[in-house]
Amino acid sequence: MKLPKERKERIQVLVLGTIGLAALVFAVVSLAVNPLLARQRRNAKKADIVMENLAKADRDVHSMVLLGNEYRRLQSELNAAESNDLVKPVLGSYLLSVRDGIEQTARRTDVKLTGIQEIGLQVLPIAAGAPNRTFRSYGIQVIGAAGYAQVRNFLKALETSNPYLSITEIAINGRADDPRAHGLSVRIEWPVMTGENIPTSAGEVK
Amino acid sequence: MSLHVDLLLPEERRVVTPMHPKRMLKILLGALILFALLAGASALQRYRVSYNERRSAAERWAKMEVRQKEAAQMGKDLAVCRGVYGELQGWRGTRLPVADWLERLATLCPPSVQLTELRMTETAVLGGPKNAPCRRFELHLAGRTGGPQADRNVLLLQAIFKNQKPFSNAVDSVTIPEGSFRQDPSAGAAKSDRVFELVIRCAPRVF
């Protein structure tokens, strides 16, 4: 392009050209560069957030893999306790499910039973703010007569048969008519599940 | 008289310096355009890199999110399991080994003491540290002894609960209720025969 010959006109053209070019640069920067940079910043921010979440998720998954062993161990112990040690009702009656075991133990240890009375289900106290209990207490009162050693063997056999069974009351009274056979009254309690089951369907973390 | 003749028109004049305004202006304009192009290219490149990073992170997140949900579910289940297990262990931990106690009592009881009654009671209450649910066991013993050493025999029995395992680990206090150590009121008892009572309070066994 040839510039005008007149100096004044030439300066005018140059100034106009400069202004035009500056406007073009400004337009390019504001319409293309800045939006691109803004989107780049947004992308970077989003990527940072996702990366942070990824790191947290990675930690969670990693720790869950480590805790998986504990989970499996607890679940297995709870399942074993549920099938072997927790009292389950037979046709709605807890007494039916424990009576045979008590009578057999008494026969084996030479304790004469004169009665088994049901105390029933009881709720144990809960600390303020604590979640509801999974277990309630089911209790019975066993009445009979036996010598001190037989009573001891009877209680030992009961305690050994179930690690969660608790002997919560006992009364041994000497009898004037037969000093070798004491009057015996024992209260026995077991934990029973009250509704919520042990979780079994947790996702396996690979 | 001096005469000044201009052989060149003003626009035909040449400036030999490299800092000629016109050239400078060209360089400046060129630089400006180059700057604009470079800025545009750099912005585009940075945008592409950030876009790819974001896309790759989003893809990784899509895969990880499922596993994190599984992990979170497992965490919840584990917490429930721990709670249930802890509660169940509370049953095991709060029970008093009654058979062992009876066995030890039979072994350690002084031969000059005859126990006539043994009564153990339990109450489940909120107590212990932080007002947690716990079992409180209390053992009542009644018996008789005799002879000039009767009081010593009772003190000996009391000391067993304070000092001998397994009692000493679990017992809070052993008291002889006031007036419980007295002459045996039963018919046929000798003058020196005594009856006594012991109250053994166990430390709260927290669930």
Side-chain angles (χ1 to χ4, degrees), chain B residues 115-184:
Chain B
L115 296 177
T116 53
E117 188 188 338
L118 183 153
R119 191 159 42 86
M120 185 190 79
T121 54
E122 176 258 14
T123 43
V125 289
L126 289 177
K130 295 180 186 172
N131 215 22
C134 63
R135 290 185 193 275
R136 281 183 192 278
F137 287 95
E138 202 169 280
L139 193 63
H140 296 257
L141 290 181
R144 60 168 70 95
T145 183
Q149 304 283 329
D151 52 345
R152 267 197 66 216
N153 294 337
V154 176
L155 290 173
L156 207 61
L157 185 62
Q158 185 184 27
I160 285 167
F161 284 99
K162 283 181 176 172
N163 306 324
Q164 297 282 339
K165 284 181 182 175
F167 312 115
S168 56
N169 293 339
V171 165
D172 234 6
S173 68
V174 190
T175 52
I176 302 164
E178 209 173 324
S180 68
F181 182 72
R182 61 191 194 280
Q183 191 169 353
D184 188 349

Side-chain angles (χ1 to χ4, degrees), chain B residues 20 95-96 109 127 136 178 188:
Chain B
H20 187 273
R95 80 177 192 179
L96 203 68
C109 188
R136 281 183 192 278
E178 209 173 324

Side-chain angles (χ1 to χ4, degrees), chain A residues 62-129:
Chain A
H62 188 65
S63 66
M64 281 305 125
V65 170
L66 296 178
L67 292 174
N69 289 337
E70 184 193 353
Y71 173 73
R72 280 184 286 276
R73 181 181 63 79
L74 288 184
Q75 204 183 38
S76 134
E77 284 195 32
L78 287 173
N79 287 337
E82 192 180 18
S83 22
N84 303 329
D85 304 320
L86 297 184
V87 177
K88 287 176 279 293
V90 175
L91 298 175
S93 166
Y94 288 101
L95 184 59
L96 283 176
S97 70
V98 296
R99 180 188 278 273
D100 281 353
I102 297 291
E103 285 175 347
Q104 277 173 21
T105 309
R107 271 198 299 276
R108 215 172 50 240
T109 53
D110 207 17
V111 170
K112 281 183 191 157
L113 292 188
T114 52
I116 297 178
Q117 291 161 7
E118 188 173 42
I119 295 164
L121 291 170
Q122 284 179 317
V123 182
L124 292 169
I126 306 173

Side-chain angles (χ1 to χ4, degrees), chain A residues 77 148 165 170 172 206, chain B residues 67 85 95 100 102 118 120:
Chain A
E77 284 195 32
Y148 189 85
L165 169 154
I170 181 168
I172 303 172
K206 291 128 203 155
Chain B
R67 296 182 69 198
Y85 184 78
R95 80 177 192 179
D100 286 349
L102 293 185
L118 183 153
M120 185 190 79

